[in-house]
Amino acid sequence: KAGVTQTPRYLIKTRGQQVTLSCSPISGHRSVSWYQQTPGQGLQFLFEYFSETQRNKGNFPGRFSGRQFSNSRSEMNVSTLELGDSALYLCASSPRLAGGSETQYFGPGTRLLVL
Amino acid sequence: EDKVVQSPLSLVVHEGDTVTLNCSYEVTNFRSLLWYKQEKKAPTFLFMLTSSGIEKKSGRLSSILDKKELFSILNITATQTGDSAVYLCAVEAPNYGGSQGNLIFGKGTKLSVKP
């Protein structure tokens, strides 16, 4: 099975711009979660999508949003970029078959640099 | 506030040494604890622990969870230079019943194994 894929892998933007990142989960996986990783804060949960619905949200401002399509692919959008948004954005997928614990598999990430 | 604390933050050892990495947590509604290894790319899954006292083992790596004392350890025996990485501990703590995706990560332990 192909792993989680994320595009683009690298991105440079300027302050005030917006950006859209894409994530394709492992085939058959219905849950997609997004994380932000920075040297100072480590890995922080952004949100989770399942069946095109946001099921869970971390503590990030409204400038961070996302959506999920019927094929489980997900996009994440950041508007009005700030310097502090420079980070590695990771997407993870899991089958979400039942209410129990399931491993999340991470994609390679999108490294965003805001100038 | 939910938190996951890893120690030490960094560790330098020589090949052949045995290391123990620590992870303690304070979360409400604990579901599982996961260990990941992160080199220069996405975190890769190592172990998921849900029950106390049951050791999970994979080659030279092993891990155990203590739900009473709220901690886990990751052991690596006979370390090799390829074990050099950041080891991340994460606790799954859903915001509400049935949801999954909210992983709370520690800051990681950076392990360097010298030849």
PDB file of all heavy atoms in Angstrom, chain A residues 33 35 37 40-41 43 45 48 55-56 94 96 99 101-104 106-108, chain B residues 31-32 36 38 42-43 45 48 88 92 95-96 98-103 105 107:
ATOM      1  N   SER A  33      -5.590  13.490  10.297  1.00  0.00           N
ATOM      2  CA  SER A  33      -5.277  14.492  11.312  1.00  0.00           C
ATOM      3  C   SER A  33      -4.120  15.345  10.830  1.00  0.00           C
ATOM      4  O   SER A  33      -3.242  14.870  10.109  1.00  0.00           O
ATOM      5  CB  SER A  33      -4.894  13.814  12.635  1.00  0.00           C
ATOM      6  OG  SER A  33      -5.969  13.047  13.131  1.00  0.00           O
ATOM      7  N   TYR A  35      -0.986  18.129  12.004  1.00  0.00           N
ATOM      8  CA  TYR A  35      -0.147  18.571  13.103  1.00  0.00           C
ATOM      9  C   TYR A  35       0.834  19.632  12.610  1.00  0.00           C
ATOM     10  O   TYR A  35       1.261  19.603  11.455  1.00  0.00           O
ATOM     11  CB  TYR A  35       0.667  17.409  13.689  1.00  0.00           C
ATOM     12  CG  TYR A  35      -0.175  16.320  14.308  1.00  0.00           C
ATOM     13  CD1 TYR A  35      -0.721  15.309  13.526  1.00  0.00           C
ATOM     14  CD2 TYR A  35      -0.449  16.317  15.673  1.00  0.00           C
ATOM     15  CE1 TYR A  35      -1.511  14.314  14.088  1.00  0.00           C
ATOM     16  CE2 TYR A  35      -1.226  15.314  16.245  1.00  0.00           C
ATOM     17  CZ  TYR A  35      -1.754  14.317  15.441  1.00  0.00           C
ATOM     18  OH  TYR A  35      -2.529  13.345  15.999  1.00  0.00           O
ATOM     19  N   GLN A  37       4.633  21.135  13.495  1.00  0.00           N
ATOM     20  CA  GLN A  37       5.837  20.843  14.267  1.00  0.00           C
ATOM     21  C   GLN A  37       6.821  21.996  14.138  1.00  0.00           C
ATOM     22  O   GLN A  37       7.228  22.371  13.039  1.00  0.00           O
ATOM     23  CB  GLN A  37       6.506  19.548  13.799  1.00  0.00           C
ATOM     24  CG  GLN A  37       7.671  19.119  14.692  1.00  0.00           C
ATOM     25  CD  GLN A  37       8.242  17.765  14.326  1.00  0.00           C
ATOM     26  OE1 GLN A  37       8.249  17.368  13.168  1.00  0.00           O
ATOM     27  NE2 GLN A  37       8.725  17.024  15.332  1.00  0.00           N
ATOM     28  N   GLY A  40      10.374  24.984  18.800  1.00  0.00           N
ATOM     29  CA  GLY A  40      10.035  25.447  20.132  1.00  0.00           C
ATOM     30  C   GLY A  40       8.867  24.717  20.773  1.00  0.00           C
ATOM     31  O   GLY A  40       8.898  24.395  21.957  1.00  0.00           O
ATOM     32  N   GLN A  41       7.853  24.448  20.006  1.00  0.00           N
ATOM     33  CA  GLN A  41       6.624  23.850  20.548  1.00  0.00           C
ATOM     34  C   GLN A  41       6.493  22.354  20.305  1.00  0.00           C
ATOM     35  O   GLN A  41       5.608  21.715  20.861  1.00  0.00           O
ATOM     36  CB  GLN A  41       5.393  24.546  19.942  1.00  0.00           C
ATOM     37  CG  GLN A  41       5.302  26.027  20.259  1.00  0.00           C
ATOM     38  CD  GLN A  41       5.167  26.266  21.750  1.00  0.00           C
ATOM     39  OE1 GLN A  41       4.439  25.569  22.449  1.00  0.00           O
ATOM     40  NE2 GLN A  41       5.883  27.250  22.251  1.00  0.00           N
ATOM     41  N   LEU A  43       5.489  18.946  18.354  1.00  0.00           N
ATOM     42  CA  LEU A  43       4.347  18.549  17.529  1.00  0.00           C
ATOM     43  C   LEU A  43       3.056  18.950  18.230  1.00  0.00           C
ATOM     44  O   LEU A  43       2.813  18.562  19.365  1.00  0.00           O
ATOM     45  CB  LEU A  43       4.341  17.039  17.332  1.00  0.00           C
ATOM     46  CG  LEU A  43       4.889  16.514  16.012  1.00  0.00           C
ATOM     47  CD1 LEU A  43       5.184  15.040  16.113  1.00  0.00           C
ATOM     48  CD2 LEU A  43       3.870  16.747  14.907  1.00  0.00           C
ATOM     49  N   PHE A  45      -1.251  19.259  17.788  1.00  0.00           N
ATOM     50  CA  PHE A  45      -2.426  18.824  17.044  1.00  0.00           C
ATOM     51  C   PHE A  45      -3.210  20.027  16.531  1.00  0.00           C
ATOM     52  O   PHE A  45      -3.513  20.963  17.284  1.00  0.00           O
ATOM     53  CB  PHE A  45      -3.290  17.974  17.966  1.00  0.00           C
ATOM     54  CG  PHE A  45      -4.630  17.599  17.421  1.00  0.00           C
ATOM     55  CD1 PHE A  45      -4.752  16.629  16.442  1.00  0.00           C
ATOM     56  CD2 PHE A  45      -5.779  18.202  17.912  1.00  0.00           C
ATOM     57  CE1 PHE A  45      -5.993  16.270  15.958  1.00  0.00           C
ATOM     58  CE2 PHE A  45      -7.025  17.843  17.431  1.00  0.00           C
ATOM     59  CZ  PHE A  45      -7.132  16.880  16.453  1.00  0.00           C
ATOM     60  N   GLU A  48      -8.694  17.097  13.267  1.00  0.00           N
ATOM     61  CA  GLU A  48      -8.933  15.770  12.708  1.00  0.00           C
ATOM     62  C   GLU A  48     -10.194  15.803  11.859  1.00  0.00           C
ATOM     63  O   GLU A  48     -11.192  16.414  12.252  1.00  0.00           O
ATOM     64  CB  GLU A  48      -9.110  14.729  13.807  1.00  0.00           C
ATOM     65  CG  GLU A  48      -9.395  13.317  13.261  1.00  0.00           C
ATOM     66  CD  GLU A  48     -10.239  12.456  14.190  1.00  0.00           C
ATOM     67  OE1 GLU A  48     -10.658  12.917  15.269  1.00  0.00           O
ATOM     68  OE2 GLU A  48     -10.485  11.300  13.828  1.00  0.00           O
ATOM     69  N   ARG A  55     -13.849  16.459  13.380  1.00  0.00           N
ATOM     70  CA  ARG A  55     -14.273  15.770  14.595  1.00  0.00           C
ATOM     71  C   ARG A  55     -13.565  16.279  15.843  1.00  0.00           C
ATOM     72  O   ARG A  55     -13.976  16.021  16.958  1.00  0.00           O
ATOM     73  CB  ARG A  55     -13.999  14.270  14.459  1.00  0.00           C
ATOM     74  CG  ARG A  55     -14.769  13.583  13.344  1.00  0.00           C
ATOM     75  CD  ARG A  55     -16.257  13.738  13.515  1.00  0.00           C
ATOM     76  NE  ARG A  55     -16.730  13.116  14.748  1.00  0.00           N
ATOM     77  CZ  ARG A  55     -17.166  11.862  14.818  1.00  0.00           C
ATOM     78  NH1 ARG A  55     -17.174  11.106  13.750  1.00  0.00           N
ATOM     79  NH2 ARG A  55     -17.582  11.363  15.951  1.00  0.00           N
ATOM     80  N   ASN A  56     -12.465  16.977  15.644  1.00  0.00           N
ATOM     81  CA  ASN A  56     -11.625  17.332  16.780  1.00  0.00           C
ATOM     82  C   ASN A  56     -10.777  18.526  16.369  1.00  0.00           C
ATOM     83  O   ASN A  56     -10.360  18.623  15.205  1.00  0.00           O
ATOM     84  CB  ASN A  56     -10.718  16.144  17.087  1.00  0.00           C
ATOM     85  CG  ASN A  56     -10.571  15.889  18.557  1.00  0.00           C
ATOM     86  OD1 ASN A  56     -10.787  16.769  19.372  1.00  0.00           O
ATOM     87  ND2 ASN A  56     -10.204  14.677  18.916  1.00  0.00           N
ATOM     88  N   SER A  94      -5.438   7.271   9.687  1.00  0.00           N
ATOM     89  CA  SER A  94      -5.707   6.013  10.373  1.00  0.00           C
ATOM     90  C   SER A  94      -7.033   5.463   9.856  1.00  0.00           C
ATOM     91  O   SER A  94      -7.840   6.202   9.320  1.00  0.00           O
ATOM     92  CB  SER A  94      -5.758   6.211  11.890  1.00  0.00           C
ATOM     93  OG  SER A  94      -6.889   6.965  12.254  1.00  0.00           O
ATOM     94  N   ARG A  96      -9.658   4.286  11.454  1.00  0.00           N
ATOM     95  CA  ARG A  96     -10.825   4.739  12.211  1.00  0.00           C
ATOM     96  C   ARG A  96     -11.985   3.740  12.049  1.00  0.00           C
ATOM     97  O   ARG A  96     -13.102   4.103  11.726  1.00  0.00           O
ATOM     98  CB  ARG A  96     -11.231   6.138  11.743  1.00  0.00           C
ATOM     99  CG  ARG A  96     -12.335   6.819  12.468  1.00  0.00           C
ATOM    100  CD  ARG A  96     -12.064   7.155  13.911  1.00  0.00           C
ATOM    101  NE  ARG A  96     -12.997   8.143  14.401  1.00  0.00           N
ATOM    102  CZ  ARG A  96     -14.207   7.870  14.866  1.00  0.00           C
ATOM    103  NH1 ARG A  96     -14.612   6.632  14.932  1.00  0.00           N
ATOM    104  NH2 ARG A  96     -15.003   8.847  15.264  1.00  0.00           N
ATOM    105  N   GLY A  99     -14.286   2.465  17.739  1.00  0.00           N
ATOM    106  CA  GLY A  99     -13.984   3.493  18.729  1.00  0.00           C
ATOM    107  C   GLY A  99     -12.683   3.276  19.460  1.00  0.00           C
ATOM    108  O   GLY A  99     -12.318   4.079  20.305  1.00  0.00           O
ATOM    109  N   SER A 101      -8.425   2.385  20.001  1.00  0.00           N
ATOM    110  CA  SER A 101      -7.195   3.066  19.617  1.00  0.00           C
ATOM    111  C   SER A 101      -6.672   2.540  18.297  1.00  0.00           C
ATOM    112  O   SER A 101      -6.738   1.345  18.034  1.00  0.00           O
ATOM    113  CB  SER A 101      -6.136   2.831  20.681  1.00  0.00           C
ATOM    114  OG  SER A 101      -6.521   3.402  21.893  1.00  0.00           O
ATOM    115  N   GLU A 102      -6.160   3.409  17.501  1.00  0.00           N
ATOM    116  CA  GLU A 102      -5.573   3.014  16.234  1.00  0.00           C
ATOM    117  C   GLU A 102      -4.327   3.829  15.990  1.00  0.00           C
ATOM    118  O   GLU A 102      -4.278   5.003  16.323  1.00  0.00           O
ATOM    119  CB  GLU A 102      -6.553   3.235  15.085  1.00  0.00           C
ATOM    120  CG  GLU A 102      -7.745   2.307  15.127  1.00  0.00           C
ATOM    121  CD  GLU A 102      -8.819   2.720  14.155  1.00  0.00           C
ATOM    122  OE1 GLU A 102      -8.774   3.848  13.652  1.00  0.00           O
ATOM    123  OE2 GLU A 102      -9.705   1.897  13.903  1.00  0.00           O
ATOM    124  N   THR A 103      -3.352   3.190  15.372  1.00  0.00           N
ATOM    125  CA  THR A 103      -2.111   3.888  15.063  1.00  0.00           C
ATOM    126  C   THR A 103      -2.342   4.905  13.968  1.00  0.00           C
ATOM    127  O   THR A 103      -3.114   4.673  13.031  1.00  0.00           O
ATOM    128  CB  THR A 103      -1.070   2.863  14.595  1.00  0.00           C
ATOM    129  OG1 THR A 103      -0.919   1.880  15.602  1.00  0.00           O
ATOM    130  CG2 THR A 103       0.268   3.533  14.337  1.00  0.00           C
ATOM    131  N   GLN A 104      -1.680   6.023  14.090  1.00  0.00           N
ATOM    132  CA  GLN A 104      -1.691   7.022  13.029  1.00  0.00           C
ATOM    133  C   GLN A 104      -0.390   6.918  12.244  1.00  0.00           C
ATOM    134  O   GLN A 104       0.681   6.802  12.820  1.00  0.00           O
ATOM    135  CB  GLN A 104      -1.812   8.422  13.619  1.00  0.00           C
ATOM    136  CG  GLN A 104      -3.157   8.671  14.255  1.00  0.00           C
ATOM    137  CD  GLN A 104      -3.310  10.090  14.730  1.00  0.00           C
ATOM    138  OE1 GLN A 104      -2.638  10.993  14.270  1.00  0.00           O
ATOM    139  NE2 GLN A 104      -4.203  10.290  15.673  1.00  0.00           N
ATOM    140  N   PHE A 106       2.125   8.729   9.569  1.00  0.00           N
ATOM    141  CA  PHE A 106       2.427  10.093   9.162  1.00  0.00           C
ATOM    142  C   PHE A 106       2.949  10.174   7.735  1.00  0.00           C
ATOM    143  O   PHE A 106       3.646   9.276   7.262  1.00  0.00           O
ATOM    144  CB  PHE A 106       3.478  10.700  10.100  1.00  0.00           C
ATOM    145  CG  PHE A 106       2.914  11.124  11.421  1.00  0.00           C
ATOM    146  CD1 PHE A 106       2.752  10.212  12.445  1.00  0.00           C
ATOM    147  CD2 PHE A 106       2.542  12.442  11.637  1.00  0.00           C
ATOM    148  CE1 PHE A 106       2.218  10.597  13.673  1.00  0.00           C
ATOM    149  CE2 PHE A 106       2.012  12.844  12.861  1.00  0.00           C
ATOM    150  CZ  PHE A 106       1.851  11.917  13.872  1.00  0.00           C
ATOM    151  N   GLY A 107       2.622  11.275   7.072  1.00  0.00           N
ATOM    152  CA  GLY A 107       3.201  11.598   5.787  1.00  0.00           C
ATOM    153  C   GLY A 107       4.530  12.291   5.972  1.00  0.00           C
ATOM    154  O   GLY A 107       4.953  12.552   7.101  1.00  0.00           O
ATOM    155  N   PRO A 108       5.222  12.616   4.864  1.00  0.00           N
ATOM    156  CA  PRO A 108       6.551  13.228   4.949  1.00  0.00           C
ATOM    157  C   PRO A 108       6.535  14.686   5.374  1.00  0.00           C
ATOM    158  O   PRO A 108       7.572  15.234   5.743  1.00  0.00           O
ATOM    159  CB  PRO A 108       7.081  13.090   3.512  1.00  0.00           C
ATOM    160  CG  PRO A 108       5.857  13.050   2.669  1.00  0.00           C
ATOM    161  CD  PRO A 108       4.811  12.356   3.484  1.00  0.00           C
TER     162      PRO A 108
ATOM    163  N   ARG B  31      -6.372   7.250  26.506  1.00  0.00           N
ATOM    164  CA  ARG B  31      -6.780   6.095  25.705  1.00  0.00           C
ATOM    165  C   ARG B  31      -5.587   5.198  25.384  1.00  0.00           C
ATOM    166  O   ARG B  31      -5.670   3.992  25.483  1.00  0.00           O
ATOM    167  CB  ARG B  31      -7.456   6.555  24.420  1.00  0.00           C
ATOM    168  CG  ARG B  31      -7.888   5.407  23.536  1.00  0.00           C
ATOM    169  CD  ARG B  31      -8.744   5.860  22.387  1.00  0.00           C
ATOM    170  NE  ARG B  31     -10.143   5.939  22.758  1.00  0.00           N
ATOM    171  CZ  ARG B  31     -11.123   6.297  21.917  1.00  0.00           C
ATOM    172  NH1 ARG B  31     -10.821   6.652  20.701  1.00  0.00           N
ATOM    173  NH2 ARG B  31     -12.371   6.329  22.309  1.00  0.00           N
ATOM    174  N   SER B  32      -4.479   5.795  24.945  1.00  0.00           N
ATOM    175  CA  SER B  32      -3.296   4.985  24.617  1.00  0.00           C
ATOM    176  C   SER B  32      -2.062   5.863  24.614  1.00  0.00           C
ATOM    177  O   SER B  32      -2.174   7.097  24.603  1.00  0.00           O
ATOM    178  CB  SER B  32      -3.455   4.308  23.253  1.00  0.00           C
ATOM    179  OG  SER B  32      -3.499   5.281  22.226  1.00  0.00           O
ATOM    180  N   TYR B  36       7.077   7.078  18.763  1.00  0.00           N
ATOM    181  CA  TYR B  36       7.475   7.261  17.380  1.00  0.00           C
ATOM    182  C   TYR B  36       8.963   7.566  17.319  1.00  0.00           C
ATOM    183  O   TYR B  36       9.533   8.132  18.239  1.00  0.00           O
ATOM    184  CB  TYR B  36       6.729   8.438  16.734  1.00  0.00           C
ATOM    185  CG  TYR B  36       5.273   8.197  16.437  1.00  0.00           C
ATOM    186  CD1 TYR B  36       4.296   8.436  17.394  1.00  0.00           C
ATOM    187  CD2 TYR B  36       4.873   7.755  15.184  1.00  0.00           C
ATOM    188  CE1 TYR B  36       2.956   8.236  17.107  1.00  0.00           C
ATOM    189  CE2 TYR B  36       3.531   7.553  14.892  1.00  0.00           C
ATOM    190  CZ  TYR B  36       2.578   7.794  15.859  1.00  0.00           C
ATOM    191  OH  TYR B  36       1.250   7.600  15.572  1.00  0.00           O
ATOM    192  N   GLN B  38      11.628   9.682  14.911  1.00  0.00           N
ATOM    193  CA  GLN B  38      11.671  10.674  13.840  1.00  0.00           C
ATOM    194  C   GLN B  38      13.115  10.994  13.488  1.00  0.00           C
ATOM    195  O   GLN B  38      13.866  11.508  14.307  1.00  0.00           O
ATOM    196  CB  GLN B  38      10.922  11.949  14.236  1.00  0.00           C
ATOM    197  CG  GLN B  38      10.825  12.952  13.096  1.00  0.00           C
ATOM    198  CD  GLN B  38       9.972  14.153  13.426  1.00  0.00           C
ATOM    199  OE1 GLN B  38       9.859  14.553  14.590  1.00  0.00           O
ATOM    200  NE2 GLN B  38       9.346  14.748  12.422  1.00  0.00           N
ATOM    201  N   ALA B  42       9.179  12.148   8.385  1.00  0.00           N
ATOM    202  CA  ALA B  42       7.979  11.953   9.195  1.00  0.00           C
ATOM    203  C   ALA B  42       8.235  10.971  10.332  1.00  0.00           C
ATOM    204  O   ALA B  42       9.045  10.059  10.214  1.00  0.00           O
ATOM    205  CB  ALA B  42       6.857  11.431   8.311  1.00  0.00           C
ATOM    206  N   PRO B  43       7.528  11.138  11.443  1.00  0.00           N
ATOM    207  CA  PRO B  43       7.632  10.156  12.526  1.00  0.00           C
ATOM    208  C   PRO B  43       7.180   8.784  12.049  1.00  0.00           C
ATOM    209  O   PRO B  43       6.203   8.668  11.316  1.00  0.00           O
ATOM    210  CB  PRO B  43       6.673  10.696  13.589  1.00  0.00           C
ATOM    211  CG  PRO B  43       6.497  12.145  13.271  1.00  0.00           C
ATOM    212  CD  PRO B  43       6.628  12.251  11.793  1.00  0.00           C
ATOM    213  N   PHE B  45       6.041   4.930  13.314  1.00  0.00           N
ATOM    214  CA  PHE B  45       5.440   4.290  14.471  1.00  0.00           C
ATOM    215  C   PHE B  45       6.340   3.195  15.038  1.00  0.00           C
ATOM    216  O   PHE B  45       6.919   2.405  14.293  1.00  0.00           O
ATOM    217  CB  PHE B  45       4.096   3.699  14.049  1.00  0.00           C
ATOM    218  CG  PHE B  45       3.451   2.825  15.078  1.00  0.00           C
ATOM    219  CD1 PHE B  45       2.815   3.381  16.176  1.00  0.00           C
ATOM    220  CD2 PHE B  45       3.481   1.447  14.954  1.00  0.00           C
ATOM    221  CE1 PHE B  45       2.224   2.574  17.129  1.00  0.00           C
ATOM    222  CE2 PHE B  45       2.887   0.634  15.904  1.00  0.00           C
ATOM    223  CZ  PHE B  45       2.252   1.199  16.986  1.00  0.00           C
ATOM    224  N   MET B  48       2.399   0.996  20.330  1.00  0.00           N
ATOM    225  CA  MET B  48       1.210   1.538  20.975  1.00  0.00           C
ATOM    226  C   MET B  48       0.963   0.742  22.250  1.00  0.00           C
ATOM    227  O   MET B  48       0.963  -0.495  22.216  1.00  0.00           O
ATOM    228  CB  MET B  48      -0.021   1.448  20.075  1.00  0.00           C
ATOM    229  CG  MET B  48      -1.286   1.862  20.784  1.00  0.00           C
ATOM    230  SD  MET B  48      -2.767   1.559  19.817  1.00  0.00           S
ATOM    231  CE  MET B  48      -2.691   2.955  18.725  1.00  0.00           C
ATOM    232  N   LEU B  88       9.774  10.290  19.966  1.00  0.00           N
ATOM    233  CA  LEU B  88       8.613  11.042  20.417  1.00  0.00           C
ATOM    234  C   LEU B  88       7.631  10.135  21.149  1.00  0.00           C
ATOM    235  O   LEU B  88       7.342   9.021  20.698  1.00  0.00           O
ATOM    236  CB  LEU B  88       7.897  11.669  19.219  1.00  0.00           C
ATOM    237  CG  LEU B  88       8.680  12.732  18.447  1.00  0.00           C
ATOM    238  CD1 LEU B  88       8.033  12.981  17.100  1.00  0.00           C
ATOM    239  CD2 LEU B  88       8.757  14.022  19.231  1.00  0.00           C
ATOM    240  N   GLU B  92      -2.798   9.534  23.380  1.00  0.00           N
ATOM    241  CA  GLU B  92      -4.080   9.730  22.702  1.00  0.00           C
ATOM    242  C   GLU B  92      -5.123  10.078  23.752  1.00  0.00           C
ATOM    243  O   GLU B  92      -5.378   9.295  24.673  1.00  0.00           O
ATOM    244  CB  GLU B  92      -4.468   8.464  21.953  1.00  0.00           C
ATOM    245  CG  GLU B  92      -5.741   8.617  21.136  1.00  0.00           C
ATOM    246  CD  GLU B  92      -6.203   7.298  20.554  1.00  0.00           C
ATOM    247  OE1 GLU B  92      -5.521   6.270  20.766  1.00  0.00           O
ATOM    248  OE2 GLU B  92      -7.249   7.289  19.913  1.00  0.00           O
ATOM    249  N   ASN B  95     -11.131  14.217  22.683  1.00  0.00           N
ATOM    250  CA  ASN B  95     -11.920  15.254  23.331  1.00  0.00           C
ATOM    251  C   ASN B  95     -13.295  14.758  23.717  1.00  0.00           C
ATOM    252  O   ASN B  95     -13.880  15.221  24.664  1.00  0.00           O
ATOM    253  CB  ASN B  95     -12.077  16.466  22.408  1.00  0.00           C
ATOM    254  CG  ASN B  95     -10.836  17.322  22.413  1.00  0.00           C
ATOM    255  OD1 ASN B  95      -9.956  17.126  23.231  1.00  0.00           O
ATOM    256  ND2 ASN B  95     -10.752  18.249  21.495  1.00  0.00           N
ATOM    257  N   TYR B  96     -13.787  13.837  22.928  1.00  0.00           N
ATOM    258  CA  TYR B  96     -15.086  13.295  23.293  1.00  0.00           C
ATOM    259  C   TYR B  96     -15.192  11.869  22.803  1.00  0.00           C
ATOM    260  O   TYR B  96     -14.423  11.438  21.947  1.00  0.00           O
ATOM    261  CB  TYR B  96     -16.231  14.145  22.745  1.00  0.00           C
ATOM    262  CG  TYR B  96     -16.179  14.426  21.265  1.00  0.00           C
ATOM    263  CD1 TYR B  96     -16.806  13.603  20.353  1.00  0.00           C
ATOM    264  CD2 TYR B  96     -15.514  15.533  20.791  1.00  0.00           C
ATOM    265  CE1 TYR B  96     -16.763  13.870  19.003  1.00  0.00           C
ATOM    266  CE2 TYR B  96     -15.460  15.809  19.442  1.00  0.00           C
ATOM    267  CZ  TYR B  96     -16.082  14.981  18.550  1.00  0.00           C
ATOM    268  OH  TYR B  96     -16.023  15.252  17.221  1.00  0.00           O
ATOM    269  N   GLY B  98     -15.464   8.393  21.181  1.00  0.00           N
ATOM    270  CA  GLY B  98     -15.483   7.918  19.809  1.00  0.00           C
ATOM    271  C   GLY B  98     -14.546   8.670  18.893  1.00  0.00           C
ATOM    272  O   GLY B  98     -14.250   8.217  17.798  1.00  0.00           O
ATOM    273  N   SER B  99     -14.056   9.795  19.328  1.00  0.00           N
ATOM    274  CA  SER B  99     -13.171  10.556  18.444  1.00  0.00           C
ATOM    275  C   SER B  99     -11.735  10.134  18.643  1.00  0.00           C
ATOM    276  O   SER B  99     -11.326   9.784  19.740  1.00  0.00           O
ATOM    277  CB  SER B  99     -13.311  12.041  18.735  1.00  0.00           C
ATOM    278  OG  SER B  99     -12.333  12.769  18.011  1.00  0.00           O
ATOM    279  N   GLN B 100     -10.986  10.161  17.602  1.00  0.00           N
ATOM    280  CA  GLN B 100      -9.574   9.804  17.715  1.00  0.00           C
ATOM    281  C   GLN B 100      -8.799  10.740  16.813  1.00  0.00           C
ATOM    282  O   GLN B 100      -9.262  11.168  15.796  1.00  0.00           O
ATOM    283  CB  GLN B 100      -9.378   8.350  17.267  1.00  0.00           C
ATOM    284  CG  GLN B 100      -7.961   7.861  17.412  1.00  0.00           C
ATOM    285  CD  GLN B 100      -7.288   7.591  16.098  1.00  0.00           C
ATOM    286  OE1 GLN B 100      -7.826   7.927  15.053  1.00  0.00           O
ATOM    287  NE2 GLN B 100      -6.136   6.996  16.117  1.00  0.00           N
ATOM    288  N   GLY B 101      -7.646  11.067  17.239  1.00  0.00           N
ATOM    289  CA  GLY B 101      -6.854  11.960  16.414  1.00  0.00           C
ATOM    290  C   GLY B 101      -6.150  12.992  17.252  1.00  0.00           C
ATOM    291  O   GLY B 101      -5.224  13.613  16.790  1.00  0.00           O
ATOM    292  N   ASN B 102      -6.577  13.178  18.478  1.00  0.00           N
ATOM    293  CA  ASN B 102      -5.942  14.174  19.310  1.00  0.00           C
ATOM    294  C   ASN B 102      -4.779  13.528  20.038  1.00  0.00           C
ATOM    295  O   ASN B 102      -4.925  12.986  21.138  1.00  0.00           O
ATOM    296  CB  ASN B 102      -6.944  14.762  20.305  1.00  0.00           C
ATOM    297  CG  ASN B 102      -6.385  15.997  20.969  1.00  0.00           C
ATOM    298  OD1 ASN B 102      -5.246  16.372  20.758  1.00  0.00           O
ATOM    299  ND2 ASN B 102      -7.196  16.622  21.785  1.00  0.00           N
ATOM    300  N   LEU B 103      -3.615  13.542  19.409  1.00  0.00           N
ATOM    301  CA  LEU B 103      -2.395  13.052  20.032  1.00  0.00           C
ATOM    302  C   LEU B 103      -1.668  14.228  20.657  1.00  0.00           C
ATOM    303  O   LEU B 103      -1.420  15.231  20.001  1.00  0.00           O
ATOM    304  CB  LEU B 103      -1.485  12.384  19.002  1.00  0.00           C
ATOM    305  CG  LEU B 103      -1.921  11.045  18.426  1.00  0.00           C
ATOM    306  CD1 LEU B 103      -0.878  10.536  17.442  1.00  0.00           C
ATOM    307  CD2 LEU B 103      -2.151  10.027  19.525  1.00  0.00           C
ATOM    308  N   PHE B 105       1.751  15.352  22.054  1.00  0.00           N
ATOM    309  CA  PHE B 105       3.140  14.910  21.949  1.00  0.00           C
ATOM    310  C   PHE B 105       4.020  15.548  23.016  1.00  0.00           C
ATOM    311  O   PHE B 105       3.825  16.701  23.397  1.00  0.00           O
ATOM    312  CB  PHE B 105       3.703  15.292  20.582  1.00  0.00           C
ATOM    313  CG  PHE B 105       3.308  14.355  19.482  1.00  0.00           C
ATOM    314  CD1 PHE B 105       2.102  14.513  18.818  1.00  0.00           C
ATOM    315  CD2 PHE B 105       4.135  13.320  19.101  1.00  0.00           C
ATOM    316  CE1 PHE B 105       1.726  13.651  17.795  1.00  0.00           C
ATOM    317  CE2 PHE B 105       3.789  12.446  18.083  1.00  0.00           C
ATOM    318  CZ  PHE B 105       2.573  12.622  17.435  1.00  0.00           C
ATOM    319  N   LYS B 107       8.065  16.743  23.860  1.00  0.00           N
ATOM    320  CA  LYS B 107       9.019  17.491  23.033  1.00  0.00           C
ATOM    321  C   LYS B 107      10.055  16.566  22.380  1.00  0.00           C
ATOM    322  O   LYS B 107      10.802  16.981  21.515  1.00  0.00           O
ATOM    323  CB  LYS B 107       9.745  18.537  23.887  1.00  0.00           C
ATOM    324  CG  LYS B 107       8.826  19.638  24.401  1.00  0.00           C
ATOM    325  CD  LYS B 107       8.393  20.582  23.299  1.00  0.00           C
ATOM    326  CE  LYS B 107       7.404  21.622  23.777  1.00  0.00           C
ATOM    327  NZ  LYS B 107       8.011  22.638  24.644  1.00  0.00           N
TER     328      LYS B 107
END
